[in-house]
Amino acid sequence: MQHTIHERSWVEIDLAAFRQNLVFLKSFLQPGQDFLQIVKADAYGHGAKEIAEAALAEGAVYLGVANSEEGKLLRIQGIDARILILSPSLPEEIDEIIKYDLDPAVSDIVFAKNLAESARIAETDVRIHLKIDTGMHRSGIRLEDALNLYHEITGLHNLVVEGVFSHFSSAESDSIFSSLQEEQFAALIAKLPEKPRYIHLSNSAGTIGGFGKICNLARFGIFSFGVDTVGGYSARLAPAMSFKSTLSQVKTVLAGESVGYNRDWRAPKDGKYGILPIGYADGYDFLLSNKGKVLVQNNICQVIGRVSMDMITIDLSEVPNARVGDIVTLLGANEPELRAEALAGIYQGSPYELLCQVGRRARRYYKSRDHILHSAPIARRDFIAADFGNSKLNQIISSALAKRLESAEIGDLIYKEILRSFFFNKDRDVHYRRSFAHEISFSTMNNAAFYQAKTRLSYRKILGNNYFVVACATSDESLRRYFMRTDVEYRWLLDAALDPGSEHFKVDSVKINGFELFTQMNLSEDSLEIRCSHPKLDALIGTEVEFEISTTTLYPKNSHQLSVFISELTQGVQISFLFPEELSHVEPVRIFSGQEKNPPIIREENRITLKTEASEWVFPLSGVVFTY
Ligand SMILES: *Cc1c(COP(=O)(O)O)cnc(C)c1O
């Protein structure tokens, strides 16, 4: 196989292998049975979005996640299939469940009532799956109370019982107990006055074991990733995940010397060993110390010494020509000894856990057989957007970009980049302005070279601090500096011939919610800063307030153009230019990015106005240049 990847470590996900495993699993379904693809825990580390898409293409009718956050992430990534939350949800998750159209598992009447009430307020119906405990004794309503709960819930408004399900405790190892659970479940289903749309019980092993015949849905997890937890099926399953690294150092060791922490391994003879730049922080289990196996140039090599946080050491005595840069496989790749079930078996661990944790610091490459399709960023799992109030913003920006670029693919790419910098970065607040109105009016004055320019700016925004700055720059350089600062609300570039110190730039009034702020001038060599504050502002921090800023300044007649920029994400923009009679040929040039590239122009005598819809989003660096 031709490799172009050379990183400290990476994960390869073979989507063709995944789909082949699904085909195998589907062969166990009865006619009329559908399947739900489990994508919880980022699809056991394989990437929830990619696995969801492949499973849906293979006919999955449902996706299964662990909590509302996982469901929300899938929605943000554009998945619109039905999503079941398998674990019990907290009351705090109800808003997101409704907002992102997720179907929770319910086994508690108090939660059900809360959910119904929130659904009523949101004027929507929520689909739920009733979770029954048939003997696993983890989540779910106890069997003897199940029928009661069913009746109570069906009596609630705004809830639809879309499914009833239970879960095996030992489908892969105890068929007698599984049969008992199945009998109990079947007896309960028989008592329901009306069959919900989905009845489901089996996971992978249950399906393989022939359980769930009375069901019309099966839940596929571990086997779909090519891991055989039953025994005897590994030849029919192809591991979807491989974890690889690059040999970063090759060294010699002399008989009797020890390697690594605590001197846990000692060389029986002179030999060679290698260092791999991955450790337990990358998800390589500490319990594989002195026990793990890796593949180097088609040779299985032993992990020697303790697994460190960031490194492991491997015995290279049998691979005399091993070199720095050699690719080393730590998991998968169809090597029987490197399958998740075999590796986990070495330390009596769980192959589920192994898959979830391996490659924590690794980029994931998606491929179909040997062909690489695309890669996903390292630790993508962290990029879950914090909610930013306006639920539609995501979709609006996404569709605006896609439309603007006429290419869903590029639109999607840019959308993700923009969203990441706007919202996914948790340290950064989302600022946007609403109802932005900027009016600039020129009038003639005694000075022949300049117009007097009066500016009036107003908008609504969440107040972030108890002061802000209005800045007047005299050079592009200082203007740029003010664009970088987050405490500057308004910037003006003064003509180089003018002096900011001699009242050529004046703040007439600065108001928040209609009350006048205190202003304090601060003149430096190349700029004038006006600090605006008021003791009342402390109480308003974090709330949306109305800003009003009015200035008077001068503008050179011979400039022949006036630019008005939008410097922040803004919803609803109106920009007006009022000009004296002597300027008869004013032309606006619109540079808008957002939904509307050409906001309508309203021409009146001596005034030109550009106005978007109040709900429309306009991106930073939009604006208009008035030429005259
Ligand atoms: C995780 C999970 C599964 C998947 O089980 P596998 O053994 O991975 O197939 C099925 N059902 C429920 C309720 C689960 O939480």
Side-chain angles (χ1 to χ4, degrees):
M1 172 171 167
Q2 183 91 34
H3 272 291
T4 48
I5 310 168
H6 264 282
E7 299 185 14
R8 297 173 73 79
S9 69
W10 68 96
V11 167
E12 293 174 11
I13 307 292
D14 185 346
L15 293 172
F18 170 71
R19 289 182 68 159
Q20 175 193 321
N21 298 329
L22 280 184
V23 170
F24 175 67
L25 276 169
K26 285 195 289 183
S27 71
F28 289 84
L29 294 176
Q30 318 260 308
Q33 282 185 332
D34 281 315
F35 76 97
L36 171 154
Q37 178 63 41
I38 299 283
V39 293
K40 67 191 180 201
D42 209 20
Y44 299 10
H46 293 67
K49 173 179 183 271
E50 287 79 1
I51 291 299
E53 283 169 348
L56 292 168
E58 209 49 69
V61 298
Y62 243 103
L63 301 170
V65 298
N67 53 48
S68 61
E69 196 73 358
E70 291 184 350
K72 170 182 167 182
L73 184 56
L74 283 173
R75 288 283 182 252
I76 288 174
Q77 290 167 329
I79 303 286
D80 59 11
R82 302 250 39 94
I83 297 177
L84 172 63
I85 303 174
L86 301 156
S87 310
S89 300
L90 299 175
E92 287 73 17
E93 293 177 277
I94 286 177
D95 286 348
E96 290 206 336
I97 285 170
I98 292 174
K99 184 162 149 185
Y100 293 99
D101 192 18
L102 309 172
D103 305 351
V106 173
S107 49
D108 172 281
I109 189 62
V110 176
F111 179 82
K113 284 180 174 166
N114 278 335
L115 185 64
E117 178 56 13
S118 299
R120 185 187 62 77
I121 292 167
E123 295 177 7
T124 186
D125 284 346
V126 175
R127 281 174 263 214
I128 63 142
H129 288 233
L130 207 59
K131 173 79 190 285
I132 316 294
D133 175 5
T134 52
M136 175 153 178
H137 301 315
R138 197 177 56 180
S139 66
I141 179 87
R142 284 187 66 91
L143 203 57
E144 58 270 29
D145 303 323
L147 206 54
N148 250 344
L149 181 66
Y150 172 85
H151 286 301
E152 276 190 280
I153 288 180
T154 47
L156 295 173
H157 53 76
N158 297 82
L159 292 190
V160 177
V161 180
E162 182 80 350
V164 174
F165 75 112
S166 188
H167 193 39
F168 287 127
S169 73
S170 9
E172 64 290 312
S173 57
D174 189 341
S175 61
I176 295 173
F177 192 73
S178 299
S179 302
L180 199 67
Q181 283 191 270
E182 184 172 49
E183 270 170 40
Q184 311 258 38
F185 185 64
L188 173 76
I189 298 298
K191 287 187 206 144
L192 299 181
E194 215 179 315
K195 281 239 177 355
R197 173 129 178 241
Y198 291 111
I199 310 281
H200 48 119
L201 175 61
S202 285
N203 61 346
S204 304
T207 305
I208 298 281
F211 292 100
K213 295 244 162 28
I214 63 148
C215 299
N216 57 5
L217 190 70
R219 303 184 301 267
F220 293 165
I222 194 86
F223 270 62
S224 67
F225 302 113
V227 177
D228 174 14
T229 50
V230 173
Y233 294 96
S234 61
R236 314 273 301 271
L237 297 170
M241 180 191 287
S242 302
F243 180 41
K244 299 184 180 179
S245 181
T246 306
L247 197 55
S248 59
Q249 200 181 356
V250 176
K251 290 172 74 173
T252 49
V253 63
L254 302 179
E257 285 180 335
S258 64
V259 167
Y261 280 126
N262 264 39
R263 314 190 62 198
D264 270 4
W265 184 86
R266 281 166 204 260
K269 56 182 170 50
D270 293 358
K272 265 175 45 163
Y273 70 108
I275 319 290
L276 292 179
I278 63 102
Y280 55 76
D282 299 85
Y284 198 79
D285 206 289
F286 179 75
L287 295 174
L288 286 166
S289 296
N290 277 316
K291 291 180 178 164
K293 292 179 176 137
V294 303
L295 189 75
V296 186
Q297 295 182 8
N298 284 320
N299 298 279
I300 292 285
C301 299
Q302 196 73 34
V303 170
I304 55 174
R306 283 198 181 182
V307 172
S308 311
M309 188 182 290
D310 310 306
M311 279 182 262
I312 61 171
T313 36
I314 57 172
D315 184 5
L316 290 177
S317 300
E318 306 304 317
V319 197
N321 58 345
R323 276 180 291 115
V324 168
D326 281 356
I327 285 167
V328 179
T329 303
L330 299 121
L331 169 74
N334 272 323
E335 194 60 40
E337 289 183 79
L338 297 186
R339 294 180 76 118
E341 53 273 47
L343 270 185
I346 293 179
Y347 61 97
Q348 280 84 51
S350 149
Y352 293 85
E353 185 190 16
L354 191 88
L355 291 180
C356 290
Q357 69 184 12
V358 113
R360 280 210 189 113
R361 285 170 169 165
R363 188 187 305 277
R364 268 174 288 188
Y365 287 88
Y366 289 89
K367 52 179 205 168
S368 179
R369 303 295 173 214
D370 285 353
H371 174 63
I372 293 172
L373 304 169
H374 74 279
S375 71
I378 296 167
R380 182 183 57 185
R381 284 152 262 197
D382 297 338
F383 295 147
I384 298 178
D387 251 325
F388 40 85
N390 192 324
S391 68
K392 285 281 173 218
L393 184 58
N394 246 335
Q395 287 145 29
I396 290 168
I397 295 178
S398 158
S399 68
L401 275 165
K403 210 184 272 173
R404 180 171 164 76
L405 294 158
E406 310 282 340
S407 154
E409 203 178 330
I410 297 174
D412 194 45
L413 198 78
I414 296 178
Y415 154 67
K416 277 180 195 146
E417 288 308 313
I418 288 179
L419 276 197
R420 191 171 306 154
S421 61
F422 269 133
F423 309 121
F424 289 5
N425 186 337
K426 291 198 182 99
D427 302 335
R428 206 158 130 183
D429 291 336
V430 184
H431 295 295
Y432 69 89
R433 294 172 166 186
R434 279 200 311 126
S435 312
F436 177 95
H438 198 178
E439 183 182 278
I440 298 168
S441 63
F442 279 8
S443 52
T444 47
M445 47 185 280
N446 290 336
N447 187 329
F450 291 93
Y451 292 114
Q452 183 185 64
K454 281 195 167 288
T455 73
R456 271 183 28 213
L457 173 70
S458 65
Y459 53 88
R460 301 187 64 82
K461 180 179 168 176
I462 308 262
L463 188 67
N465 217 331
N466 59 5
Y467 81 98
F468 58 87
V469 168
V470 171
C472 174
T474 53
S475 66
D476 287 335
E477 176 50 37
S478 64
L479 184 68
R480 229 187 331 270
R481 258 194 348 255
Y482 287 123
F483 269 109
M484 306 299 286
R485 271 173 56 175
T486 52
D487 61 348
V488 176
E489 285 294 332
Y490 184 62
R491 310 152 188 90
W492 180 266
L493 179 61
L494 197 66
D495 187 66
L498 298 170
D499 172 8
S502 52
E503 303 235 313
H504 288 148
F505 179 87
K506 263 194 355 231
V507 169
D508 300 323
S509 140
V510 181
K511 292 181 183 167
I512 290 284
N513 288 353
F515 65 81
E516 192 77 42
L517 304 191
F518 302 136
T519 54
Q520 184 193 337
M521 310 270 231
N522 191 354
L523 188 64
S524 75
E525 209 168 290
D526 65 348
S527 64
L528 173 68
E529 283 180 22
I530 295 117
R531 189 185 151 98
C532 310
S533 63
H534 195 286
K536 276 192 196 169
L537 293 188
D538 278 321
L540 294 173
I541 290 175
T543 65
E544 192 186 70
V545 296
E546 164 120 54
F547 286 74
E548 288 172 89
I549 302 168
S550 305
T551 70
T552 303
T553 181
L554 299 178
Y555 201 80
K557 286 187 177 177
N558 66 7
S559 167
H560 297 295
Q561 56 96 358
L562 169 75
S563 308
V564 182
F565 284 114
I566 305 289
S567 61
E568 289 182 32
L569 185 63
T570 304
Q571 189 179 35
V573 168
Q574 172 169 342
I575 299 171
S576 319
F577 180 39
L578 282 79
F579 43 90
E581 237 162 85
E582 65 179 72
L583 290 184
S584 52
H585 295 293
V586 179
E587 276 307 318
V589 180
R590 293 163 292 189
I591 312 157
F592 272 73
S593 55
Q595 285 159 292
E596 175 60 85
K597 276 186 276 183
N598 295 308
I601 295 169
I602 304 154
R603 285 177 196 271
E604 293 158 287
E605 200 185 349
N606 298 342
R607 177 204 281 267
I608 291 180
T609 304
L610 271 85
K611 192 171 177 186
T612 72
E613 296 280 338
S615 60
E616 227 155 66
W617 289 97
V618 174
F619 291 144
L621 299 182
S622 296
V624 55
V625 181
F626 295 99
T627 60
Y628 57 85

